[in-house]
Amino acid sequence: MAEAQAPQRGGYTEEVSAERLAEIGLRFEVDGEIATIALDRPSKRNAQTFATWAALADIGGNLPEQVRIVVVKGEGPSFSAGIDLRMFTPEGVPGQGSFSSAAQLDTTAFEQQIRKAQQGFLWFRRPEIVSIAAVQGHAIGAGFQLALACDLRIVADDVKFCMKEPALGLVPDLTGTKPLVELVGLAKAIDICLTARTIGAEEAMRIGLAERVVAADDLARAVQDKIAELLSTNRDAAAATKRLLQGARARTLEEQSVAEGVEQARRLKALFGGA
Ligand code: ACO
């Protein structure tokens, strides 16, 4: 399968109204260079549906040009309890079907539906933004994968990450397996996924899942502090550096050195090249 492509700014997606987002259980706010996406269905522990993922893709496709930081947070006690369990029932989620109705699709159509869902997760890696997941309480399945889609995870001391999919007969398919392996290594990723065990704050910090652990009451402040640090660097240099860092693993040292030179030449021309 070809490398997944994230929806681009101003791409093919549609802008979603605040009313529609509220129906889906999302809020989206932009304050200057900072955008905040809130999972806002706390009474259902911010369970996610196909509509959630389509809306996330639309938000990504319409992200205002000035945005440099995207914060993803969850209202209430849990960041997200993962996929809406009604998908496992014959009735499914009203208007969105169920896994048993999706399983009736031919394989190509089914794979396309999954690729569409993944668009909601891919764009958080764009070089021109830094995405931060602010995670408290449970981050299960799709909730864990949403946190993994972000560049950084700042977590509360009550965080509980769990890759529940294999326990339910599924695989993690919302773009979470690659960042998980890259963050914690293959052995630990196998352990985490194939046991579906819960990872608390201390372990999340120790194995590199979390950048920082704070008391639950301090989570918003810790995110604000990180945003201030991130905004203190040059916008274009930050984007170029993220591009370099993202490409580093796939390149040889020689190739990476060349890439550094290409980016630096661009920076120097932009800074000192005059008209
Ligand atoms: N889908 C739909 N509704 C959910 C989900 C979910 N994933 N998780 C919680 N809810 C609902 C509960 O049904 C309950 O609704 P009700 O008040 O109408 O009865 C409400 O949210 C609160 O749930 P509780 O279980 O009472 O909350 P608690 O804080 O005690 O536990 C926890 C939270 C641990 C997250 C628990 O709800 C849970 O285990 N949820 C299911 C997690 C899961 O298996 N997700 C699927 C992962 S796989 C994937 O994402 C692909």
PDB file of all heavy atoms in Angstrom, residues 43-45 47 78 81-85 138 140-142 164-165 168 170, ligand 1:
ATOM      1  N   SER A  43     -19.665  12.415  29.065  1.00  0.00           N
ATOM      2  CA  SER A  43     -20.581  11.434  29.675  1.00  0.00           C
ATOM      3  C   SER A  43     -20.388  10.055  29.049  1.00  0.00           C
ATOM      4  O   SER A  43     -20.737   9.039  29.653  1.00  0.00           O
ATOM      5  CB  SER A  43     -22.036  11.887  29.516  1.00  0.00           C
ATOM      6  OG  SER A  43     -22.378  11.871  28.152  1.00  0.00           O
ATOM      7  N   LYS A  44     -19.823  10.001  27.841  1.00  0.00           N
ATOM      8  CA  LYS A  44     -19.507   8.714  27.192  1.00  0.00           C
ATOM      9  C   LYS A  44     -17.996   8.547  27.076  1.00  0.00           C
ATOM     10  O   LYS A  44     -17.487   7.859  26.194  1.00  0.00           O
ATOM     11  CB  LYS A  44     -20.156   8.626  25.798  1.00  0.00           C
ATOM     12  CG  LYS A  44     -21.680   8.700  25.837  1.00  0.00           C
ATOM     13  CD  LYS A  44     -22.291   7.491  26.511  1.00  0.00           C
ATOM     14  CE  LYS A  44     -23.808   7.632  26.620  1.00  0.00           C
ATOM     15  NZ  LYS A  44     -24.395   6.586  27.493  1.00  0.00           N
ATOM     16  N   ARG A  45     -17.299   9.233  27.975  1.00  0.00           N
ATOM     17  CA  ARG A  45     -15.844   9.149  28.070  1.00  0.00           C
ATOM     18  C   ARG A  45     -15.176   9.425  26.716  1.00  0.00           C
ATOM     19  O   ARG A  45     -14.196   8.810  26.329  1.00  0.00           O
ATOM     20  CB  ARG A  45     -15.409   7.779  28.613  1.00  0.00           C
ATOM     21  CG  ARG A  45     -15.980   7.467  29.989  1.00  0.00           C
ATOM     22  CD  ARG A  45     -15.493   8.437  31.055  1.00  0.00           C
ATOM     23  NE  ARG A  45     -15.991   8.119  32.385  1.00  0.00           N
ATOM     24  CZ  ARG A  45     -17.103   8.690  32.919  1.00  0.00           C
ATOM     25  NH1 ARG A  45     -17.786   9.609  32.239  1.00  0.00           N
ATOM     26  NH2 ARG A  45     -17.492   8.354  34.127  1.00  0.00           N
ATOM     27  N   ALA A  47     -15.941   8.740  23.705  1.00  0.00           N
ATOM     28  CA  ALA A  47     -15.872   7.646  22.725  1.00  0.00           C
ATOM     29  C   ALA A  47     -15.937   8.235  21.316  1.00  0.00           C
ATOM     30  O   ALA A  47     -16.594   9.249  21.076  1.00  0.00           O
ATOM     31  CB  ALA A  47     -17.025   6.676  22.962  1.00  0.00           C
ATOM     32  N   SER A  78     -11.781  11.172  31.381  1.00  0.00           N
ATOM     33  CA  SER A  78     -10.976  10.368  30.449  1.00  0.00           C
ATOM     34  C   SER A  78     -10.636  11.183  29.210  1.00  0.00           C
ATOM     35  O   SER A  78     -11.483  11.919  28.699  1.00  0.00           O
ATOM     36  CB  SER A  78     -11.761   9.140  29.979  1.00  0.00           C
ATOM     37  OG  SER A  78     -12.132   8.330  31.061  1.00  0.00           O
ATOM     38  N   ALA A  81     -12.186   6.975  25.696  1.00  0.00           N
ATOM     39  CA  ALA A  81     -12.361   5.525  25.897  1.00  0.00           C
ATOM     40  C   ALA A  81     -12.354   4.766  24.578  1.00  0.00           C
ATOM     41  O   ALA A  81     -12.773   3.606  24.528  1.00  0.00           O
ATOM     42  CB  ALA A  81     -13.652   5.259  26.643  1.00  0.00           C
ATOM     43  N   GLY A  82     -11.857   5.426  23.497  1.00  0.00           N
ATOM     44  CA  GLY A  82     -11.696   4.701  22.242  1.00  0.00           C
ATOM     45  C   GLY A  82     -12.966   4.650  21.418  1.00  0.00           C
ATOM     46  O   GLY A  82     -13.880   5.462  21.587  1.00  0.00           O
ATOM     47  N   ILE A  83     -13.010   3.676  20.552  1.00  0.00           N
ATOM     48  CA  ILE A  83     -14.131   3.600  19.617  1.00  0.00           C
ATOM     49  C   ILE A  83     -15.436   3.389  20.389  1.00  0.00           C
ATOM     50  O   ILE A  83     -15.461   2.720  21.429  1.00  0.00           O
ATOM     51  CB  ILE A  83     -13.912   2.478  18.590  1.00  0.00           C
ATOM     52  CG1 ILE A  83     -14.860   2.659  17.404  1.00  0.00           C
ATOM     53  CG2 ILE A  83     -14.095   1.111  19.223  1.00  0.00           C
ATOM     54  CD1 ILE A  83     -14.491   1.803  16.223  1.00  0.00           C
ATOM     55  N   ASP A  84     -16.492   3.956  19.849  1.00  0.00           N
ATOM     56  CA  ASP A  84     -17.819   3.804  20.453  1.00  0.00           C
ATOM     57  C   ASP A  84     -18.210   2.329  20.372  1.00  0.00           C
ATOM     58  O   ASP A  84     -18.326   1.751  19.281  1.00  0.00           O
ATOM     59  CB  ASP A  84     -18.821   4.684  19.696  1.00  0.00           C
ATOM     60  CG  ASP A  84     -20.123   4.825  20.465  1.00  0.00           C
ATOM     61  OD1 ASP A  84     -20.643   3.791  20.943  1.00  0.00           O
ATOM     62  OD2 ASP A  84     -20.616   5.954  20.571  1.00  0.00           O
ATOM     63  N   LEU A  85     -18.413   1.746  21.542  1.00  0.00           N
ATOM     64  CA  LEU A  85     -18.659   0.297  21.598  1.00  0.00           C
ATOM     65  C   LEU A  85     -19.967  -0.104  20.916  1.00  0.00           C
ATOM     66  O   LEU A  85     -20.179  -1.292  20.648  1.00  0.00           O
ATOM     67  CB  LEU A  85     -18.624  -0.192  23.044  1.00  0.00           C
ATOM     68  CG  LEU A  85     -17.237  -0.141  23.714  1.00  0.00           C
ATOM     69  CD1 LEU A  85     -17.338  -0.535  25.188  1.00  0.00           C
ATOM     70  CD2 LEU A  85     -16.243  -1.046  22.988  1.00  0.00           C
ATOM     71  N   HIS A 138      -8.233   7.694  31.137  1.00  0.00           N
ATOM     72  CA  HIS A 138      -8.085   6.633  30.146  1.00  0.00           C
ATOM     73  C   HIS A 138      -7.836   7.167  28.730  1.00  0.00           C
ATOM     74  O   HIS A 138      -8.508   8.099  28.292  1.00  0.00           O
ATOM     75  CB  HIS A 138      -9.335   5.746  30.131  1.00  0.00           C
ATOM     76  CG  HIS A 138      -9.460   4.903  31.360  1.00  0.00           C
ATOM     77  ND1 HIS A 138     -10.222   5.267  32.445  1.00  0.00           N
ATOM     78  CD2 HIS A 138      -8.882   3.704  31.684  1.00  0.00           C
ATOM     79  CE1 HIS A 138     -10.119   4.333  33.380  1.00  0.00           C
ATOM     80  NE2 HIS A 138      -9.324   3.378  32.949  1.00  0.00           N
ATOM     81  N   ILE A 140      -7.753   4.870  25.595  1.00  0.00           N
ATOM     82  CA  ILE A 140      -7.875   3.457  25.214  1.00  0.00           C
ATOM     83  C   ILE A 140      -8.075   3.355  23.702  1.00  0.00           C
ATOM     84  O   ILE A 140      -8.837   4.137  23.116  1.00  0.00           O
ATOM     85  CB  ILE A 140      -9.084   2.810  25.932  1.00  0.00           C
ATOM     86  CG1 ILE A 140      -8.956   2.987  27.458  1.00  0.00           C
ATOM     87  CG2 ILE A 140      -9.211   1.329  25.581  1.00  0.00           C
ATOM     88  CD1 ILE A 140     -10.122   2.406  28.252  1.00  0.00           C
ATOM     89  N   GLY A 141      -7.444   2.372  23.101  1.00  0.00           N
ATOM     90  CA  GLY A 141      -7.675   2.087  21.687  1.00  0.00           C
ATOM     91  C   GLY A 141      -7.510   3.324  20.822  1.00  0.00           C
ATOM     92  O   GLY A 141      -6.419   3.908  20.732  1.00  0.00           O
ATOM     93  N   ALA A 142      -8.598   3.730  20.169  1.00  0.00           N
ATOM     94  CA  ALA A 142      -8.548   4.914  19.313  1.00  0.00           C
ATOM     95  C   ALA A 142      -8.109   6.144  20.098  1.00  0.00           C
ATOM     96  O   ALA A 142      -7.514   7.073  19.525  1.00  0.00           O
ATOM     97  CB  ALA A 142      -9.920   5.155  18.681  1.00  0.00           C
ATOM     98  N   LYS A 164      -6.251  -1.542  23.358  1.00  0.00           N
ATOM     99  CA  LYS A 164      -7.226  -2.596  23.641  1.00  0.00           C
ATOM    100  C   LYS A 164      -7.566  -3.447  22.415  1.00  0.00           C
ATOM    101  O   LYS A 164      -8.123  -4.543  22.545  1.00  0.00           O
ATOM    102  CB  LYS A 164      -8.485  -1.888  24.167  1.00  0.00           C
ATOM    103  CG  LYS A 164      -9.634  -2.729  24.634  1.00  0.00           C
ATOM    104  CD  LYS A 164      -9.458  -3.153  26.072  1.00  0.00           C
ATOM    105  CE  LYS A 164     -10.679  -3.875  26.618  1.00  0.00           C
ATOM    106  NZ  LYS A 164     -11.763  -2.950  26.989  1.00  0.00           N
ATOM    107  N   GLU A 165      -7.246  -2.950  21.221  1.00  0.00           N
ATOM    108  CA  GLU A 165      -7.739  -3.597  20.005  1.00  0.00           C
ATOM    109  C   GLU A 165      -7.513  -5.103  19.950  1.00  0.00           C
ATOM    110  O   GLU A 165      -8.459  -5.861  19.676  1.00  0.00           O
ATOM    111  CB  GLU A 165      -7.134  -2.924  18.750  1.00  0.00           C
ATOM    112  CG  GLU A 165      -7.705  -1.563  18.416  1.00  0.00           C
ATOM    113  CD  GLU A 165      -7.081  -0.423  19.197  1.00  0.00           C
ATOM    114  OE1 GLU A 165      -6.404  -0.685  20.206  1.00  0.00           O
ATOM    115  OE2 GLU A 165      -7.278   0.732  18.811  1.00  0.00           O
ATOM    116  N   LEU A 168      -9.932  -7.211  21.571  1.00  0.00           N
ATOM    117  CA  LEU A 168     -11.269  -7.230  20.963  1.00  0.00           C
ATOM    118  C   LEU A 168     -11.252  -7.899  19.594  1.00  0.00           C
ATOM    119  O   LEU A 168     -12.239  -7.833  18.848  1.00  0.00           O
ATOM    120  CB  LEU A 168     -11.797  -5.790  20.836  1.00  0.00           C
ATOM    121  CG  LEU A 168     -11.940  -5.023  22.167  1.00  0.00           C
ATOM    122  CD1 LEU A 168     -12.263  -3.556  21.906  1.00  0.00           C
ATOM    123  CD2 LEU A 168     -13.024  -5.664  23.019  1.00  0.00           C
ATOM    124  N   LEU A 170      -9.222  -7.049  17.123  1.00  0.00           N
ATOM    125  CA  LEU A 170      -8.881  -6.080  16.080  1.00  0.00           C
ATOM    126  C   LEU A 170      -7.384  -5.773  16.106  1.00  0.00           C
ATOM    127  O   LEU A 170      -6.686  -6.178  17.032  1.00  0.00           O
ATOM    128  CB  LEU A 170      -9.646  -4.767  16.313  1.00  0.00           C
ATOM    129  CG  LEU A 170     -11.163  -4.876  16.403  1.00  0.00           C
ATOM    130  CD1 LEU A 170     -11.756  -3.523  16.783  1.00  0.00           C
ATOM    131  CD2 LEU A 170     -11.737  -5.363  15.066  1.00  0.00           C
TER     132      LEU A 170
HETATM  133  N1  ACO B   1     -18.143   3.523  23.754  1.00  0.00           N
HETATM  134  C1  ACO B   1     -19.371   3.911  24.109  1.00  0.00           C
HETATM  135  N2  ACO B   1     -19.696   4.286  25.368  1.00  0.00           N
HETATM  136  C2  ACO B   1     -18.720   4.262  26.290  1.00  0.00           C
HETATM  137  C3  ACO B   1     -17.406   3.867  25.984  1.00  0.00           C
HETATM  138  C4  ACO B   1     -17.130   3.486  24.645  1.00  0.00           C
HETATM  139  N3  ACO B   1     -15.909   3.126  24.246  1.00  0.00           N
HETATM  140  N4  ACO B   1     -16.668   3.938  27.104  1.00  0.00           N
HETATM  141  C5  ACO B   1     -17.478   4.369  28.082  1.00  0.00           C
HETATM  142  N5  ACO B   1     -18.715   4.563  27.593  1.00  0.00           N
HETATM  143  C6  ACO B   1     -19.913   5.014  28.308  1.00  0.00           C
HETATM  144  C7  ACO B   1     -20.439   3.961  29.254  1.00  0.00           C
HETATM  145  O1  ACO B   1     -21.271   3.057  28.561  1.00  0.00           O
HETATM  146  C8  ACO B   1     -21.186   4.812  30.235  1.00  0.00           C
HETATM  147  O2  ACO B   1     -22.397   5.205  29.651  1.00  0.00           O
HETATM  148  P1  ACO B   1     -23.739   5.264  30.561  1.00  0.00           P
HETATM  149  O3  ACO B   1     -23.448   6.276  31.629  1.00  0.00           O
HETATM  150  O4  ACO B   1     -24.786   5.695  29.589  1.00  0.00           O
HETATM  151  O5  ACO B   1     -23.917   3.887  31.111  1.00  0.00           O
HETATM  152  C9  ACO B   1     -20.319   6.066  30.339  1.00  0.00           C
HETATM  153  O6  ACO B   1     -19.535   6.113  29.152  1.00  0.00           O
HETATM  154  C10 ACO B   1     -19.358   6.068  31.504  1.00  0.00           C
HETATM  155  O7  ACO B   1     -18.651   4.848  31.450  1.00  0.00           O
HETATM  156  P2  ACO B   1     -18.148   4.113  32.783  1.00  0.00           P
HETATM  157  O8  ACO B   1     -17.654   2.774  32.375  1.00  0.00           O
HETATM  158  O9  ACO B   1     -19.218   4.175  33.812  1.00  0.00           O
HETATM  159  O10 ACO B   1     -16.983   5.106  33.216  1.00  0.00           O
HETATM  160  P3  ACO B   1     -15.689   4.787  34.067  1.00  0.00           P
HETATM  161  O11 ACO B   1     -15.021   6.106  34.257  1.00  0.00           O
HETATM  162  O12 ACO B   1     -16.043   3.978  35.265  1.00  0.00           O
HETATM  163  O13 ACO B   1     -14.785   3.837  33.137  1.00  0.00           O
HETATM  164  C11 ACO B   1     -13.614   3.286  31.111  1.00  0.00           C
HETATM  165  C12 ACO B   1     -14.170   4.396  32.029  1.00  0.00           C
HETATM  166  C13 ACO B   1     -12.531   2.501  31.824  1.00  0.00           C
HETATM  167  C14 ACO B   1     -13.047   4.015  29.919  1.00  0.00           C
HETATM  168  C15 ACO B   1     -14.737   2.303  30.710  1.00  0.00           C
HETATM  169  O14 ACO B   1     -15.890   3.051  30.332  1.00  0.00           O
HETATM  170  C16 ACO B   1     -14.370   1.397  29.576  1.00  0.00           C
HETATM  171  O15 ACO B   1     -13.663   0.407  29.768  1.00  0.00           O
HETATM  172  N6  ACO B   1     -14.848   1.699  28.324  1.00  0.00           N
HETATM  173  C17 ACO B   1     -14.665   0.853  27.184  1.00  0.00           C
HETATM  174  C18 ACO B   1     -13.248   0.972  26.623  1.00  0.00           C
HETATM  175  C19 ACO B   1     -13.070   0.159  25.339  1.00  0.00           C
HETATM  176  O16 ACO B   1     -13.069  -1.053  25.356  1.00  0.00           O
HETATM  177  N7  ACO B   1     -12.910   0.865  24.185  1.00  0.00           N
HETATM  178  C20 ACO B   1     -12.692   0.263  22.907  1.00  0.00           C
HETATM  179  C21 ACO B   1     -11.199   0.230  22.618  1.00  0.00           C
HETATM  180  S1  ACO B   1     -10.798  -0.459  21.039  1.00  0.00           S
HETATM  181  C22 ACO B   1     -10.778   0.819  19.930  1.00  0.00           C
HETATM  182  O17 ACO B   1     -10.840   1.966  20.293  1.00  0.00           O
HETATM  183  C23 ACO B   1     -10.607   0.540  18.444  1.00  0.00           C
END
